Amino acid sequence: MDAFDKTVQKAKDVFDIAINKTGEFVNVSKLKISVSSLNNKLEKAYARLGKIQFKALKDANIENVEIASTVAEIKHIRSEIKTLLDQIDELEGKSTCPKCGCKVPAKSAFCNNCGERF
């Protein structure tokens, strides 16, 4: 084997190693993306569970102080959100249909969604 053949063989070996490392990197990246996706699904499942539990507890007499304070915090935050949304509706000239909850122009005679007369 002459010097040129040895150089070509070395280049091929380096190229093969680079391809293998790239393949490993791609596989690791795919696995990390899968883990991230599953963690996202897990967080959504926790959130759904929390919402279910909140609905069950929001009007209950709760003895657990941590749960009771968290329920109170959620109620307070929801109230603040509603206040801000009402302010936005007022500034945008909108009102809420009492029947279906749809946002309609404040001076509408009927709801655009359900036809309720105001």
Side-chain angles (χ1 to χ4, degrees):
M1 204 181 248
D2 65 352
F4 180 76
D5 289 338
K6 287 181 182 177
T7 303
V8 170
Q9 185 59 42
K10 277 279 191 197
K12 183 183 177 306
D13 293 343
V14 169
F15 185 71
D16 288 343
I17 290 170
I19 287 176
N20 287 338
K21 290 293 181 185
T22 302
E24 289 173 12
F25 177 77
V26 168
N27 289 337
V28 168
S29 296
K30 286 180 181 178
L31 292 172
K32 286 182 178 180
I33 290 170
S34 294
V35 168
S36 178
S37 176
L38 289 172
N39 276 327
N40 189 24
K41 286 181 181 180
L42 180 62
E43 288 301 317
K44 287 180 180 180
Y46 280 139
R48 281 194 314 272
L49 178 62
K51 285 180 181 179
I52 292 167
Q53 191 63 26
F54 175 76
K55 286 179 183 177
L57 296 174
K58 71 179 180 179
D59 297 322
N61 185 12
I62 306 166
E63 294 182 22
N64 182 308
V65 175
E66 186 177 7
I67 293 173
S69 74
T70 303
V71 167
E73 179 183 5
I74 290 170
K75 285 181 176 181
H76 177 72
I77 292 169
R78 289 173 76 177
S79 173
E80 287 181 340
I81 290 170
K82 183 178 179 340
T83 299
L84 293 173
L85 290 174
D86 289 345
Q87 289 175 358
I88 290 169
D89 286 346
E90 184 178 329
L91 291 171
E92 291 180 340
K94 295 180 181 177
S95 62
T96 303
C97 174
K99 183 176 180 183
C100 71
C102 183
K103 302 292 181 186
V104 295
K107 296 181 180 181
S108 293
F110 297 93
C111 175
N112 298 336
N113 186 52
C114 69
E116 178 76 5
R117 184 177 181 150
F118 300 133

